[in-house]
Structures are given as C-alpha cells and as structure tokens.
Amino acid sequence: MGEARIGVFVCHCGTNIGASVDVPQVVEYVKGLPNVVHVERNLFTCSEEGVSAIKKAIAGYNLNRVVVASCTPTTHEPLFRAACEEAGLNKYLFEFVNIREQCSWVHMRQPEEATEKAKDLIRMGIAKASLLEPLEEVKVQVTPSALVIGGGVVGMNAALNLAEQGFEVQLVEKENQLGGILLYVHKLFTTDEEASKIIEPLVQRVKNHSQIKTYLSTKVKSVSGFIGDFEATLDQNGRESHVKVGTIIVAIGAEELKPAGQYGYGKLPNVMTQLELEQRMKRGELDGQNVVMINCVGARVPERTYCSGFCCMTAVKNATLIKQNSPEARVWVLHRDLMAYGVEFENYYRKSMEQGVRFIRYGLEKPPEVIGNGKAEKVKVWHHLMGREIELPADMVVLTTPLVPRVDNEAISKILKVPLSEQGFFLEAHLKLRPVEFATDGIYICGSARWPTDIANGISQAYAASSKAAIPMRTGYVKPEAITALVDEDRCSGCGTCELLCPFKAIELQSRNGKRVSHVAEAICKGCGTCGAACPSGAITMNHFRDVEILAQIEALFS
Amino acid sequence: MENFEPKIVAFLCNWCSYAGADLAGTSRIQYAPNVRAIRVMCSGRVSPTFILKAFSMGADGVLIGSCHFGDCHYIGGNYKAARRIALLKKMLRQLGIKEEQLWLEQVSAAEGSLFAQVINDMTAKLKELGPLAPSAPPQPAFEEDQR
C-alpha cells in the first residue's frame, strides 16, 4: 500500500455536532496528525456535496485512506464506503469515527470536554485507518431454493410468495397436516370470517403448487453450510432426507399458554383458555348464559413481562360472538389495559360494547378470584370505578393467555445458530431496521416465532421475509462482508482452540503437509473475532479489527 | 485529587453496547465525558492483551460492554468474554490493578440510559479510587492465597 495518505472529513451535522464540538478547532488539530494529508469540514458530510467532496479529495490528494468523523456507522457507513469505492478506493480502507451519538449529543453542556473527546476519537480513528488493509469479498453462489420451516398461515404464505416467483420451496411441517394454530381457531377478528375459510384454500394452493414440496410430520434435524449453500437434514418419522437450499425461513409460530393452576384452570371443567373456547364454539358447544373472560392471564406479569398484542382482540371477538349468538347471554371481559390500537380494532371494540359486552378493569394488586365447588360458579373482582368488590355469575370462565415460545425454539436456534431473546422468541438482526432477518446471512424470520402477532401482521412479515430471501436467490450470488478471520498456517500449532470456540462452525482443522492447521471458511465466518482473541499462537488475524489496529487505537489515545 | 478526571477505555460490541451508547446519544442522555470507545464486533473479540495494553498506557479504567446473556449476535461471545474477564481480574490483582478498574457490563441496544448510568457510575468509582498508580503493591491472584 505504501505510505498511508489519509483524508479526514469532519462533519458539523448542522448544529448537531457543531453546537457542542468546536469543529474548526478540531480540524486545525487534525491537520497536525501523522499521515494526514487532507482535512476538511462539511456542514453535512452525508449530503451529495459532502460525498462528492470525499470522491474529489481521493483523486485530488491521492488519498489511500478515508476517515469520516460524524455520526454512528449504523447510519452512513454504507454510503461513505460506496463513495470510496466509486473513487477507486477499496471500501475497507474507510474508517468511521462517531462524534455525534457518542460525543456531541451526550456532552451538550460541556463543549470543551466534547471538543477534546472528539479530537481523541478522531486521533484513534486515524491511527487505525493508517493500518487498514484492503479486503476482497468472496463471491458465493446461491442455490435458488428455500427451506421454509413451519406450515402455518405465515409459513405457507412465505412458501407461496417464493414459489410464485419461480423458486423451489421445501416446506417442513412437524404436524401431520398443514394449517398450524389456525386449525383450532373458530373465527377471525375483525372480519368474523371462519378461520377454515382462509386456511383451507391456502392449504390447497400450497399442495397444488408444483414448486412447493411439502414434508409433513417432519422436523429439521440439522443444518450445515451458509447462505447460498445450506444443506438440511430432515427427519420424517425416523426417515432421513437431505435438501440443498440457498435460504431458510423460520415460521414456526408460537403456542398458547396453558395457565395450569391459575383461576382453577386444569381443576374446574368450565375454566378454559380462549383457544379451547374457540374449539367449543366451532363445535357449537356453548353452554350457559354467563361468561366471564379474564385477560392478561400469565402476561405482563413479573415472570412474563411482555404483552402478546392480539389477545385483547381475541377476547373482544369471542365475547361479541357469544352475544351475537345469544343476545340474552351476559358476557364480562375483565382486563388490565385493553389493546385496541388503530382504526379497525378500536371500532371493533366499540361495536362489542354497543352489543352489550361489559368491560371491567382490574389491577394486579387485586386480581379476580374464581369461586366454585367442583366447577366455577362465580368470579369476584374489585371494580375500580365503583370502588368495591363485585360478584359476577359464571357458567364459563375463559382465560385470555399470551402466546409463548414453542419448545422447539431452543433446538431450532441451536441447529441454525441464530439467537433467541430473553423471552425465548427468535431474535431478529435489528428490532427496527432489520425486522425479518437474522444476523446470520440467508436466514429469515417471520410470524409469531419472532413475537406474538395477528394474522394480518404475520402475513405481512411472511411477504417481507420471503421477499428478502428472494433477493440473493434472484441475484444468484452474494458477497458476504470480508470482515473474517484469517489463519497464518505457519504460526498455527493446530491446537484446535479456535475450532472449539467458533459459534458458527466456520473453523476446522485440516491437514497441510503432514501438519494439522486451522482453516476458516470465509463464507461461514461472521467476523466476531472470538478465535482471534483466544489463539495462543497469535496465528489468527481478525480482518478489519486486527490486533495491531486495535492496539494502535489504544496507543493513539494516550499519545 | 479533587480535579482527577479518570480516563476510561471502553471496548463496545457492535450490536448491543455500541448501539446502546448510540441510543444514549439519540435520546440526548448526558453522561460523564471520560470515556473513549473502541468498537469491536463482539465482546468475545476483546483479547486480554488489549485490556493490559490500555492499563499500561495509562487508562484508569477499562470497560467491556457486551450483550446480555442469550442476546449475543454471535450466539455466545459474551460468555467467552465473561470467562476471560473473570480470569483476567485475578491476574490484574497481581499487577496491582484493582478489580473495580475493570468493568464488564451488559448493555443492550435498547438500554441507552443504562449505558449512561454505567459510565457515570464507573467515572464516580474511579474518581474515588484515584489514579492508577503503577507502583501499587501487587496482590495475590486469589483471596485464599493471602492466608
């Protein structure tokens, strides 16, 4: 590469940085730092003007490294990397310094300290930049076929969306029929259509599609490989088969919590969950005129803090359907908060009240009490507005419980090497910015496996996940980030520490001239660097975060 | 000692702690300006060498920011970091560096205020401890060795 010739661009970000960091002073300071041949400040480096200034400077000053000091890399790193590439500079010769989120915005009342901190951070960035090396991304071919795990409404929609684009789909369902949890649901909010009217035609479309191969009573036993080239072993009632796919979509849904021991559930025959009520309604087996529903059973409590989102609407729906079925029935919904967001849900809730469903709010400090001998007979609840306890007659008590993660989640998370959240649901790459994909390339997530969701939302996610999966399959190849580990085979002692530590099984020991050495499969390596931190021989280089680069940052800070 | 401003080097994992620090910024939560962050992809990347280097160059405190257990983007890098730090702390005692000068904290991408709190707490603690004196008397690695 020769001597580093670094260009530094310090951003004012309007007043976002400029109001607390003295940018002109920083620029003057940076001019005197080693290897810096050009410094400028921009009102907005991310503007077209700023980006073209970078490109011009690369050519004009013959820059071979670029440092931008502005916001966080999450915002504009791709933009500035692209600018470098367009000007003929390898994008890995770019370094981002964050002086907004981690400096100007958090020290707004300390301009002097913020300015000093910005200088330090930029000095550290320059030290790293001068050691950066160009990296080449490998091209990986993508098999135009997808594995969809889960044959519920979400999985089937994902499968169809891909199949209709011409991709082959392997659809795996662990039960002996397609349909998932919707097979047990009576009617759907807010349309009050029968669930079977939705699910049956969908199952037919999936069955009839020549591009979809369905595996019933089948579980995914293991998965190896990486984006573009996964191989999955399927276990169909003990019979194993192998499929090769380019992408994987997880759509295994969730299950209804059975609140054993709460409100007499499991002991009193007329205490049931919403889903169990739906099955009775489907069979037309509703007895009694007095129905009490209790919402948030096992949800938004210390041991399960989340809100399952759609269950309030399930309760509203079933309560209303009971009233419609027999107008003289008395139905009470005991709730904590009622989630009826948006236009549709709010109207649906209002309609429910108009039809005579009674809503009573309770608090966790005084939860309702189910009373009865051998069966539930009445429910006592503290009425907030009346300021006293009231008693409701109950022929049926229906508990509204949240969706909980499937037991299979843990196994699938291990097989695919994708994370679960604290609650046990699958954890997407980024809550806001990458909601339907995992951090692992080529694996996508949708529906209630990620978070309890209603059907409309689940289908939107299925479309989103399958569209994301279609991108690499349509392109035909991917270029994973070149931030991967590299083994110096001469230094490697073949101890295998790295092989054991690698969470992605990207490292294996191979034979080289009679010596065992570690080998990194670049396409699998995600660049965490755990191997690099552990290698006792110092044989592993973690590209773009090399030891020398990080040590240089530390030295620069204290220089 | 009153004007002592400790210098903290923070190794922040890209996915959780670094993003948590970003969130502190977008939320405009103000905290002590004593920290200088070095972004790494995973807390599992933080080699003990980096930590020792930071102390030897003059850091008064080193923070490793990881994801919460179970939330690691790389499945379990934070467990590896936790094990390494636990061991390293034993070694630091022998070098005369106090345990309270090396912090391992789990901050998620959603915990901007926690990040700010950690920096404030750490800064306050380090002020209390005073500058890292290279001549501090070495301590045995294990408490039981003192017997």
Side-chain angles (χ1 to χ4, degrees):
Chain A
M1 276 302 297
E3 189 91 337
R5 296 179 59 81
I6 306 177
V8 183
F9 301 81
V10 186
C11 182
H12 281 258
C13 194
T15 55
N16 282 303
I17 293 169
S20 17
V21 171
D22 184 342
V23 177
Q25 191 193 328
V26 169
V27 166
E28 278 313 303
Y29 169 77
V30 171
K31 279 182 185 162
L33 293 174
N35 297 322
V36 174
V37 295
H38 172 69
V39 191
E40 63 180 272
R41 55 196 173 93
N42 319 99
L43 188 55
F44 290 101
T45 313
C46 62
S47 67
E48 212 176 307
E49 209 184 319
V51 170
S52 74
I54 295 177
K55 290 196 258 185
K56 242 185 263 164
I58 292 174
Y61 297 92
N62 195 20
L63 302 179
N64 57 17
R65 306 284 194 292
V66 170
V67 173
V68 171
S70 60
C71 42
T72 164
T74 341
T75 51
H76 291 313
E77 189 171 56
L79 177 77
F80 296 133
R81 279 178 160 192
C84 291
E85 271 191 321
E86 281 167 36
L89 196 63
N90 183 286
K91 69 179 187 188
Y92 293 96
L93 297 173
F94 168 77
E95 178 66 14
F96 217 130
V97 178
N98 182 344
I99 57 167
R100 190 179 74 176
E101 278 83 350
Q102 298 188 11
C103 187
S104 68
W105 276 351
V106 289
H107 312 306
M108 295 168 89
R109 290 183 289 275
Q110 293 170 284
E112 267 172 46
E113 286 84 350
T115 304
E116 287 312 307
K117 183 171 174 179
K119 286 181 192 171
D120 284 352
L121 292 172
I122 296 172
R123 193 169 67 243
M124 292 161 76
I126 290 169
K128 179 173 179 184
S130 56
L131 294 168
L132 287 175
E133 288 185 335
L135 298 171
E136 289 311 321
E137 291 157 337
V138 289
K139 235 182 184 181
V140 181
Q141 298 300 313
V142 178
T143 310
S145 164
L147 170 69
V148 177
I149 310 173
V153 64
V154 171
M156 285 193 288
N157 270 291
L160 276 169
N161 193 29
L162 286 171
E164 280 164 5
Q165 296 179 63
F167 301 111
E168 251 179 56
V169 179
Q170 320 286 339
L171 178 61
V172 173
E173 168 57 49
K174 69 169 181 172
E175 300 296 334
N176 61 7
Q177 59 175 333
L178 292 172
I181 205 167
L182 271 195
L183 292 172
Y184 308 97
V185 172
H186 176 42
K187 286 184 177 177
L188 308 177
F189 61 79
T190 50
T191 55
D192 294 346
E193 282 169 289
E194 280 174 31
S196 59
K197 292 246 166 70
I198 302 249
I199 209 75
E200 279 162 18
L202 193 59
V203 171
Q204 277 316 313
R205 277 175 65 207
V206 168
K207 280 185 179 164
N208 294 340
H209 207 294
S210 60
Q211 292 286 95
I212 302 178
K213 185 162 184 210
T214 304
Y215 300 77
L216 297 176
S217 309
T218 302
K219 285 192 162 193
V220 177
K221 199 178 164 195
S222 66
V223 171
S224 62
F226 42 87
I227 180 169
D229 188 24
F230 289 109
E231 182 169 334
T233 306
L234 309 179
D235 180 347
Q236 190 165 29
N237 288 327
R239 211 176 60 238
E240 278 189 13
S241 56
H242 303 275
V243 291
K244 276 192 166 290
V245 293
T247 56
I248 298 174
I249 295 179
V250 178
I252 66 170
E255 52 201 62
E256 187 191 45
L257 173 75
K258 303 292 179 203
Q262 289 195 66
Y263 301 108
Y265 183 81
K267 275 185 241 141
L268 309 176
N270 56 342
V271 177
M272 67 203 79
T273 66
Q274 290 287 357
L275 203 56
E276 289 158 358
L277 169 71
E278 305 240 5
Q279 282 155 278
R280 291 199 192 196
M281 290 169 92
K282 250 180 138 169
R283 296 192 298 261
E285 290 170 11
L286 279 190
D287 32 54
Q289 290 297 305
N290 300 312
V291 182
V292 179
M293 297 186 177
I294 305 174
N295 282 8
C296 283
V297 175
R300 304 167 69 218
V301 289
E303 65 272 25
R304 204 176 292 99
T305 49
Y306 64 90
C307 167
S308 190
F310 66 88
C311 12
C312 279
M313 295 313 291
T314 302
V316 169
K317 171 196 70 180
N318 287 337
T320 317
L321 288 175
I322 292 171
K323 277 299 273 186
Q324 282 171 356
N325 191 42
S326 77
E328 65 279 12
R330 292 191 293 173
V331 187
W332 292 273
V333 177
L334 314 185
H335 63 92
R336 280 169 58 205
D337 289 303
L338 210 117
M339 302 295 170
Y341 47 89
V343 179
E344 288 287 309
F345 291 179
E346 186 63 29
N347 282 342
Y348 195 68
Y349 169 39
R350 195 172 301 123
K351 203 177 79 190
S352 171
M353 288 191 280
E354 281 163 12
Q355 297 194 356
V357 176
R358 296 285 166 252
F359 290 86
I360 298 172
R361 189 165 179 166
Y362 76 92
L364 264 190
E365 64 287 355
K366 280 181 190 167
E369 204 181 322
V370 175
I371 297 160
N373 214 340
K375 67 181 195 122
E377 285 156 10
K378 50 195 176 189
V379 177
K380 272 196 204 171
V381 63
W382 178 263
H383 198 296
H384 269 298
L385 296 179
M386 291 200 249
R388 65 178 171 87
E389 196 171 65
I390 57 168
E391 250 181 39
L392 307 169
D395 301 315
M396 260 197 311
V397 174
V398 184
L399 308 180
T400 314
T401 56
L403 285 184
V404 292
R406 288 203 190 276
V407 245
D408 293 344
N409 282 18
E410 206 148 308
I412 301 226
S413 124
K414 286 203 178 108
I415 288 169
L416 297 176
K417 297 180 254 334
V418 294
L420 296 177
S421 69
E422 223 175 307
Q423 321 272 10
F425 291 103
F426 286 95
L427 190 69
E428 66 283 66
H430 191 285
L431 179 65
K432 287 189 186 297
L433 304 176
R434 296 171 68 195
V436 295
E437 58 203 294
F438 287 109
T440 306
D441 293 330
I443 310 184
Y444 308 86
I445 173 77
C446 48
S448 293
R450 172 181 163 252
W451 203 246
T453 176
D454 68 5
I455 295 165
N457 245 316
I459 292 176
S460 303
Q461 290 177 22
Y463 290 162
S466 50
S467 303
K468 285 298 268 184
I471 296 171
M473 296 200 288
R474 176 67 64 224
T475 317
Y477 66 87
V478 284
K479 280 179 160 185
E481 275 262 359
I483 302 178
T484 55
L486 187 74
V487 178
D488 178 345
E489 294 185 354
D490 290 337
R491 292 181 95 170
C492 175
S493 67
C495 69
T497 303
C498 50
E499 188 189 26
L500 279 174
L501 283 177
C502 179
F504 302 97
K505 298 196 173 29
I507 304 185
E508 63 174 16
L509 289 178
Q510 294 182 348
S511 206
R512 289 275 190 290
N513 311 323
K515 178 187 157 190
R516 273 157 65 79
V517 293
S518 152
H519 174 80
V520 179
E522 283 178 8
I524 308 179
C525 175
K526 305 299 298 171
C528 68
T530 294
C531 55
C535 177
S537 318
I540 295 183
T541 301
M542 187 52 235
N543 279 331
H544 211 60
F545 290 89
R546 296 185 301 150
D547 285 10
V548 284
E549 291 163 357
I550 294 174
L551 293 173
Q553 280 177 286
I554 301 168
E555 274 172 21
L557 171 56
F558 294 102
S559 65
Chain B
M1 209 65 110
E2 258 170 42
N3 297 322
F4 168 59
E5 287 297 338
K7 282 187 181 150
I8 303 171
V9 177
F11 297 96
L12 305 181
C13 86
N14 184 56
W15 306 95
C16 294
S17 294
Y18 192 90
D22 278 350
L23 181 61
T26 40
S27 320
R28 309 295 196 280
I29 302 169
Q30 306 297 299
Y31 58 80
N34 300 56
V35 64
R36 305 290 182 265
I38 293 178
R39 183 171 70 103
V40 288
M41 294 311 279
C42 178
S43 58
R45 171 68 187 109
V46 182
S47 159
T49 316
F50 304 160
I51 299 165
L52 293 171
K53 177 76 175 181
F55 280 123
S56 77
M57 293 294 298
D60 301 296
V62 175
L63 167 70
I64 288 90
S66 79
C67 305
H68 288 279
F69 288 134
D71 281 356
C72 177
H73 187 86
Y74 303 103
I75 301 166
N78 49 356
Y79 283 96
K80 286 155 196 158
R83 290 201 291 260
R84 284 180 191 139
I85 302 302
L87 195 59
L88 185 63
K89 280 193 171 182
K90 303 287 182 196
M91 197 183 137
L92 289 180
R93 291 168 58 93
Q94 294 168 300
L95 301 174
I97 297 170
K98 296 184 191 76
E99 278 197 25
E100 297 98 314
Q101 282 168 308
L102 174 58
W103 289 38
L104 172 66
E105 293 291 326
Q106 301 185 336
V107 178
S108 84
E111 292 174 331
S113 55
L114 177 63
F115 182 83
Q117 189 63 52
V118 165
I119 300 303
N120 284 339
D121 290 351
M122 189 167 178
T123 306
K125 183 75 207 174
L126 293 175
K127 277 189 182 177
E128 200 183 300
L129 292 175
L132 175 69
S135 57
Q139 298 293 315
F142 296 94
E143 301 268 348
E144 50 268 36
D145 291 353
Q146 289 174 327
R147 274 179 288 151

Short mmCIF file of all heavy atoms in Angstrom, two decimals, chain A residues 76-97:
data_model
loop_
_atom_site.label_atom_id
_atom_site.label_comp_id
_atom_site.label_asym_id
_atom_site.label_seq_id
_atom_site.Cartn_x
_atom_site.Cartn_y
_atom_site.Cartn_z
N HIS A 76 -24.49 5.81 8.18
CA HIS A 76 -23.99 6.12 6.84
C HIS A 76 -22.74 5.37 6.41
O HIS A 76 -22.14 5.72 5.41
CB HIS A 76 -23.76 7.62 6.72
CG HIS A 76 -25.03 8.41 6.73
ND1 HIS A 76 -26.12 8.05 5.96
CD2 HIS A 76 -25.40 9.51 7.41
CE1 HIS A 76 -27.10 8.92 6.17
NE2 HIS A 76 -26.70 9.80 7.06
N GLU A 77 -22.35 4.34 7.16
CA GLU A 77 -21.14 3.63 6.72
C GLU A 77 -21.27 3.13 5.27
O GLU A 77 -20.34 3.30 4.48
CB GLU A 77 -20.77 2.49 7.66
CG GLU A 77 -19.41 1.91 7.34
CD GLU A 77 -18.90 0.94 8.38
OE1 GLU A 77 -19.61 -0.05 8.65
OE2 GLU A 77 -17.81 1.16 8.92
N PRO A 78 -22.43 2.52 4.91
CA PRO A 78 -22.54 2.05 3.52
C PRO A 78 -22.38 3.18 2.49
O PRO A 78 -21.76 2.99 1.46
CB PRO A 78 -23.95 1.45 3.47
CG PRO A 78 -24.30 1.15 4.88
CD PRO A 78 -23.60 2.17 5.71
N LEU A 79 -22.91 4.35 2.82
CA LEU A 79 -22.83 5.49 1.91
C LEU A 79 -21.37 5.91 1.66
O LEU A 79 -20.93 6.08 0.53
CB LEU A 79 -23.62 6.66 2.50
CG LEU A 79 -23.60 7.97 1.73
CD1 LEU A 79 -24.52 7.88 0.52
CD2 LEU A 79 -24.01 9.14 2.62
N PHE A 80 -20.62 6.06 2.78
CA PHE A 80 -19.24 6.53 2.64
C PHE A 80 -18.34 5.45 2.03
O PHE A 80 -17.41 5.75 1.29
CB PHE A 80 -18.70 6.99 3.99
CG PHE A 80 -19.44 8.19 4.53
CD1 PHE A 80 -19.87 8.23 5.85
CD2 PHE A 80 -19.71 9.28 3.71
CE1 PHE A 80 -20.56 9.33 6.35
CE2 PHE A 80 -20.41 10.38 4.20
CZ PHE A 80 -20.84 10.40 5.52
N ARG A 81 -18.64 4.19 2.36
CA ARG A 81 -17.87 3.11 1.74
C ARG A 81 -18.09 3.12 0.23
O ARG A 81 -17.15 2.94 -0.54
CB ARG A 81 -18.32 1.76 2.31
CG ARG A 81 -17.70 1.42 3.65
CD ARG A 81 -18.28 0.10 4.11
NE ARG A 81 -17.45 -0.56 5.10
CZ ARG A 81 -17.64 -1.82 5.48
NH1 ARG A 81 -18.61 -2.54 4.94
NH2 ARG A 81 -16.87 -2.37 6.38
N ALA A 82 -19.35 3.34 -0.16
CA ALA A 82 -19.66 3.36 -1.59
C ALA A 82 -18.94 4.52 -2.27
O ALA A 82 -18.43 4.38 -3.39
CB ALA A 82 -21.17 3.48 -1.80
N ALA A 83 -18.86 5.67 -1.58
CA ALA A 83 -18.16 6.83 -2.14
C ALA A 83 -16.70 6.47 -2.40
O ALA A 83 -16.13 6.80 -3.44
CB ALA A 83 -18.27 8.02 -1.20
N CYS A 84 -16.08 5.77 -1.44
CA CYS A 84 -14.69 5.36 -1.60
C CYS A 84 -14.55 4.45 -2.81
O CYS A 84 -13.67 4.62 -3.64
CB CYS A 84 -14.19 4.64 -0.35
SG CYS A 84 -14.03 5.73 1.07
N GLU A 85 -15.46 3.48 -2.88
CA GLU A 85 -15.39 2.51 -3.99
C GLU A 85 -15.52 3.21 -5.33
O GLU A 85 -14.81 2.90 -6.27
CB GLU A 85 -16.49 1.46 -3.84
CG GLU A 85 -16.04 0.28 -3.00
CD GLU A 85 -17.01 -0.88 -3.06
OE1 GLU A 85 -18.23 -0.60 -3.06
OE2 GLU A 85 -16.55 -2.03 -3.08
N GLU A 86 -16.47 4.18 -5.38
CA GLU A 86 -16.67 4.89 -6.64
C GLU A 86 -15.43 5.66 -7.05
O GLU A 86 -15.18 5.87 -8.23
CB GLU A 86 -17.88 5.83 -6.54
CG GLU A 86 -19.20 5.07 -6.68
CD GLU A 86 -20.38 5.90 -6.27
OE1 GLU A 86 -20.38 7.12 -6.52
OE2 GLU A 86 -21.32 5.32 -5.67
N ALA A 87 -14.65 6.07 -6.05
CA ALA A 87 -13.44 6.82 -6.37
C ALA A 87 -12.24 5.88 -6.52
O ALA A 87 -11.09 6.31 -6.55
CB ALA A 87 -13.17 7.86 -5.29
N GLY A 88 -12.54 4.58 -6.54
CA GLY A 88 -11.47 3.62 -6.80
C GLY A 88 -10.71 3.15 -5.57
O GLY A 88 -9.64 2.56 -5.67
N LEU A 89 -11.26 3.44 -4.39
CA LEU A 89 -10.58 3.04 -3.16
C LEU A 89 -11.35 1.87 -2.55
O LEU A 89 -12.57 1.92 -2.42
CB LEU A 89 -10.59 4.24 -2.19
CG LEU A 89 -9.64 4.18 -1.00
CD1 LEU A 89 -8.20 4.16 -1.47
CD2 LEU A 89 -9.87 5.40 -0.10
N ASN A 90 -10.62 0.84 -2.17
CA ASN A 90 -11.26 -0.32 -1.54
C ASN A 90 -12.05 0.14 -0.32
O ASN A 90 -11.57 0.94 0.49
CB ASN A 90 -10.18 -1.33 -1.13
CG ASN A 90 -10.76 -2.59 -0.53
OD1 ASN A 90 -11.23 -2.59 0.61
ND2 ASN A 90 -10.74 -3.67 -1.29
N LYS A 91 -13.29 -0.36 -0.18
CA LYS A 91 -14.16 0.19 0.86
C LYS A 91 -13.69 -0.13 2.27
O LYS A 91 -14.11 0.51 3.23
CB LYS A 91 -15.59 -0.28 0.64
CG LYS A 91 -15.85 -1.75 0.86
CD LYS A 91 -17.32 -2.03 0.63
CE LYS A 91 -17.67 -3.44 1.01
NZ LYS A 91 -19.03 -3.79 0.63
N TYR A 92 -12.82 -1.11 2.41
CA TYR A 92 -12.32 -1.44 3.75
C TYR A 92 -11.18 -0.51 4.18
O TYR A 92 -10.59 -0.67 5.23
CB TYR A 92 -11.89 -2.90 3.82
CG TYR A 92 -13.09 -3.82 3.69
CD1 TYR A 92 -13.46 -4.37 2.46
CD2 TYR A 92 -13.89 -4.07 4.79
CE1 TYR A 92 -14.58 -5.16 2.34
CE2 TYR A 92 -15.02 -4.87 4.68
CZ TYR A 92 -15.36 -5.41 3.45
OH TYR A 92 -16.48 -6.20 3.34
N LEU A 93 -10.87 0.49 3.33
CA LEU A 93 -9.86 1.48 3.70
C LEU A 93 -10.54 2.73 4.27
O LEU A 93 -9.95 3.78 4.39
CB LEU A 93 -9.00 1.83 2.49
CG LEU A 93 -8.20 0.62 1.96
CD1 LEU A 93 -7.49 0.96 0.66
CD2 LEU A 93 -7.19 0.15 3.01
N PHE A 94 -11.80 2.56 4.63
CA PHE A 94 -12.58 3.65 5.20
C PHE A 94 -12.78 3.41 6.70
O PHE A 94 -13.01 2.28 7.13
CB PHE A 94 -13.95 3.72 4.51
CG PHE A 94 -14.91 4.62 5.21
CD1 PHE A 94 -14.80 5.99 5.08
CD2 PHE A 94 -15.88 4.10 6.05
CE1 PHE A 94 -15.68 6.83 5.76
CE2 PHE A 94 -16.75 4.93 6.73
CZ PHE A 94 -16.65 6.30 6.59
N GLU A 95 -12.66 4.45 7.49
CA GLU A 95 -12.89 4.31 8.94
C GLU A 95 -13.86 5.39 9.41
O GLU A 95 -13.74 6.56 9.05
CB GLU A 95 -11.55 4.41 9.69
CG GLU A 95 -11.65 4.32 11.20
CD GLU A 95 -12.12 2.96 11.73
OE1 GLU A 95 -12.14 1.98 10.96
OE2 GLU A 95 -12.49 2.89 12.91
N PHE A 96 -14.80 4.97 10.22
CA PHE A 96 -15.84 5.87 10.72
C PHE A 96 -15.51 6.28 12.16
O PHE A 96 -15.17 5.42 12.97
CB PHE A 96 -17.18 5.12 10.71
CG PHE A 96 -18.35 5.99 10.34
CD1 PHE A 96 -19.25 5.57 9.35
CD2 PHE A 96 -18.57 7.20 10.96
CE1 PHE A 96 -20.34 6.35 9.00
CE2 PHE A 96 -19.66 7.98 10.61
CZ PHE A 96 -20.54 7.56 9.63
N VAL A 97 -15.62 7.54 12.45
CA VAL A 97 -15.45 7.99 13.84
C VAL A 97 -16.76 8.63 14.28
O VAL A 97 -17.29 9.51 13.60
CB VAL A 97 -14.29 9.00 13.98
CG1 VAL A 97 -14.16 9.48 15.42
CG2 VAL A 97 -12.98 8.37 13.52
#
